[in-house]
Amino acid sequence: QVHIVESGGGLVQAGASLRLSCATSGHTSMIYTMGWFRQTPGKEREFVAAMNLRAENTYYADSVKGRLTISRDKVTNTVYLQMNSLKPEDTAVYYCAARQSSLGVYDYWGQGTQVTVSS
């Protein structure tokens, strides 16, 4: 079992930066991939970014490339999402997730953290 807790969300103005944190605990050695997703009311959850923890390859949605960066701290088992040049359309609940493989569904999810970007 893996436990996930996100933090770092808030209300910012367009153009500002935020850093989201995703703390993992439990059987973290089982994790192969960490991902960030986001969801707005009435829309499906969408992929934002992911990191293969073995090779440390990173993947991004086209809408966030160049502005958002996923990274990790191996010592604390924490994954980060650095969000720069935020836009109002980045407003969403951001979720961190983990899976035990390189592909497929994510097995573990956090409770989400709200990010609101005002224009």
Side-chain angles (χ1 to χ4, degrees):
Q1 187 75 14
V2 174
H3 189 54
I4 294 175
V5 178
E6 304 100 330
S7 61
L11 171 63
V12 297
Q13 291 189 327
S17 297
L18 273 178
R19 189 177 76 160
L20 305 183
S21 298
C22 172
T24 63
S25 60
H27 295 151
T28 56
S29 60
M30 299 165 52
I31 301 173
Y32 195 98
T33 307
M34 292 294 300
W36 285 97
F37 295 77
R38 65 187 182 187
Q39 188 170 25
T40 54
K43 293 187 177 180
E44 291 196 0
R45 191 172 298 183
E46 66 171 351
F47 168 77
V48 175
M51 174 181 280
N52 176 323
L53 299 187
R54 303 291 192 270
E56 298 201 348
N57 295 328
T58 57
Y59 309 89
Y60 297 94
D62 288 342
S63 59
V64 306
K65 281 181 181 176
R67 298 187 301 116
L68 275 58
T69 304
I70 187 171
S71 63
R72 67 180 290 198
D73 183 326
K74 296 180 182 179
V75 175
T76 62
N77 292 319
T78 301
V79 173
Y80 299 99
L81 186 67
Q82 178 66 42
M83 310 169 69
N84 298 328
S85 302
L86 283 163
K87 304 176 181 180
E89 50 264 43
D90 293 318
T91 295
V93 177
Y94 283 72
Y95 296 92
C96 182
R99 65 185 178 197
Q100 300 175 50
S101 64
S102 60
L103 297 173
V105 299
Y106 281 77
D107 306 288
Y108 305 100
W109 291 83
Q111 82 290 347
T113 185
Q114 176 71 47
V115 172
T116 303
V117 184
S118 63
S119 57

